[in-house]
Structure formats: structure tokens, C-alpha cells
Amino acid sequence: DLERYLSTRNSPCSEEQIITWALEISDVLQTLHEQKPDPIIFRDLKPSNIMLRKSGQLVLIDFGIARTIQGRQRGTMIGTEGYAPPEQYRGVVDTRGDIYALGATLHHLATNSDPRIETPFTFHERPIQKLNPEISDALSAIIMKMLAYNPADRYQTVQDLRADLIQVQRAKRQNAVA
């Protein structure tokens, strides 16, 4: 799993790797969130629930607390401290919570700073580029938007997140060619 990968690596991941993995996981989340009649919310996205295959592809595992959410239905406070969004502690569950948890995972990959050992909801106190200057302003801004305390300030859909990730990926490839 990515948690074991990070502990073995003991250093941040490259921006290229982070974007590739973010697109893979967001693709899975998009599929879950677009389920009809009701979206499936994963609710426990974290490195230990992401398996890295020998091929380099990622697989999301442990759907034990994933749930379909109907309208403004409330859920139980569940998830992993450091990765779970603030509203999930109040039983509020929607797709933006998975976006927050993915942001916490990406922050961990980019900085090698485990959010479980930090005060919850303090990512803004650990700027990505301060911990890893190799990460671009663009990717840092995307991750920090995902980690906004207020869900209304985050990406509202995984599609919007993916569009920004793809834009950063394309720009990096164009700069590498130039």
C-alpha cells in the first residue's frame, strides 16, 4: 500500500508521480460519485487504502465504510484522523469529503508529512513548497484547494479537480519538450 511505500521511501514523491496517481484515484472517485441513483462516497481515503501494483497502477481497497448518500442524509462520524474532512466529524457526508481526503493523501505524498501525527486541519501551517520545493505553485494550489476547511471552498466535483490536474500535467510536458 502507499503508506508502506512512503515509509520505505522516506522522502516525498515527485510531482509527476503525484499527478499520475492523483488522476488514477480521482478517476475511481469520479466513477463512484457518478453512480445512479445515488453517489457512493468512499469516506476513508488514505495511503493505506491505496494499493500499488507491480505494474505501477493504483487500486483503491477497503470499501468497508463506503456508502451511498441520498440527498442531505447524515452519516456517522467515521474515517481516519488527519485524512477525514472536518464536516465528516459532524456526520455530514458528500463527495467533497472524498476530495478533501484525496488532498490530504496528496499532501502526504508531496511532503512526506503524515497528517495523522499533526493537529487536524492544519495543512495551511505546513505549506507544501516549504517541505518540498520541487512541487510547483500550480500543483500546490490544487492540493491546498482540495484541503480547504469549508467544503464550499474546495473543488465541487472530481471532474473539476481532474481538469486542473490535467492542465498542470500538460504544462509540465510542454515545458519538458521546450
Side-chain angles (χ1 to χ4, degrees), residues 29-98:
L29 290 177
Q30 183 173 344
T31 299
L32 293 173
H33 294 173
E34 290 178 347
Q35 292 303 299
K36 302 291 181 208
D38 303 306
I40 297 172
I41 313 299
F42 190 76
R43 300 195 307 166
D44 199 22
L45 188 62
K46 58 187 176 184
S48 64
N49 284 341
I50 303 170
M51 298 297 291
L52 176 60
R53 290 187 169 169
K54 289 180 182 176
S55 67
Q57 290 183 305
L58 299 180
V59 178
L60 197 56
I61 64 165
D62 193 0
F63 281 72
I65 66 171
R67 294 287 178 266
T68 58
I69 302 298
Q70 301 163 341
R72 296 201 174 268
Q73 175 184 354
R74 294 182 75 80
T76 56
M77 196 319 280
I78 200 162
T80 301
E81 188 172 316
Y83 295 98
E87 66 274 12
Q88 203 162 304
Y89 285 81
R90 297 184 303 276
V92 176
V93 180
D94 73 18
T95 57
R96 296 170 297 180
D98 282 347

Side-chain angles (χ1 to χ4, degrees), residues 112-171:
N112 200 35
S113 172
D114 188 338
R116 294 171 299 180
I117 60 173
E118 304 290 344
T119 303
F121 321 121
T122 59
F123 289 102
H124 63 282
E125 295 174 11
R126 296 185 314 281
I128 293 169
Q129 292 170 312
K130 187 173 184 180
L131 298 169
N132 182 357
E134 300 296 314
I135 301 297
S136 68
D137 290 344
L139 181 58
S140 181
I142 289 170
I143 294 171
M144 295 312 291
K145 182 174 180 176
M146 296 168 73
L147 292 168
Y149 188 86
N150 182 346
D153 296 333
R154 290 182 211 141
Y155 288 95
Q156 299 302 292
T157 67
V158 176
Q159 297 93 314
D160 293 340
L161 165 63
R162 287 179 57 76
D164 281 359
L165 287 167
I166 290 167
Q167 186 175 3
V168 171
Q169 186 180 55
R170 284 185 183 145

Side-chain angles (χ1 to χ4, degrees), residues 8-29:
T8 302
R9 180 183 174 85
N10 201 27
S11 64
C13 296
S14 71
E15 179 160 332
E16 182 180 334
Q17 186 66 76
I18 293 165
I19 292 171
T20 298
W21 285 347
L23 286 168
E24 281 187 56
I25 295 301
S26 63
D27 188 44
V28 173
L29 290 177

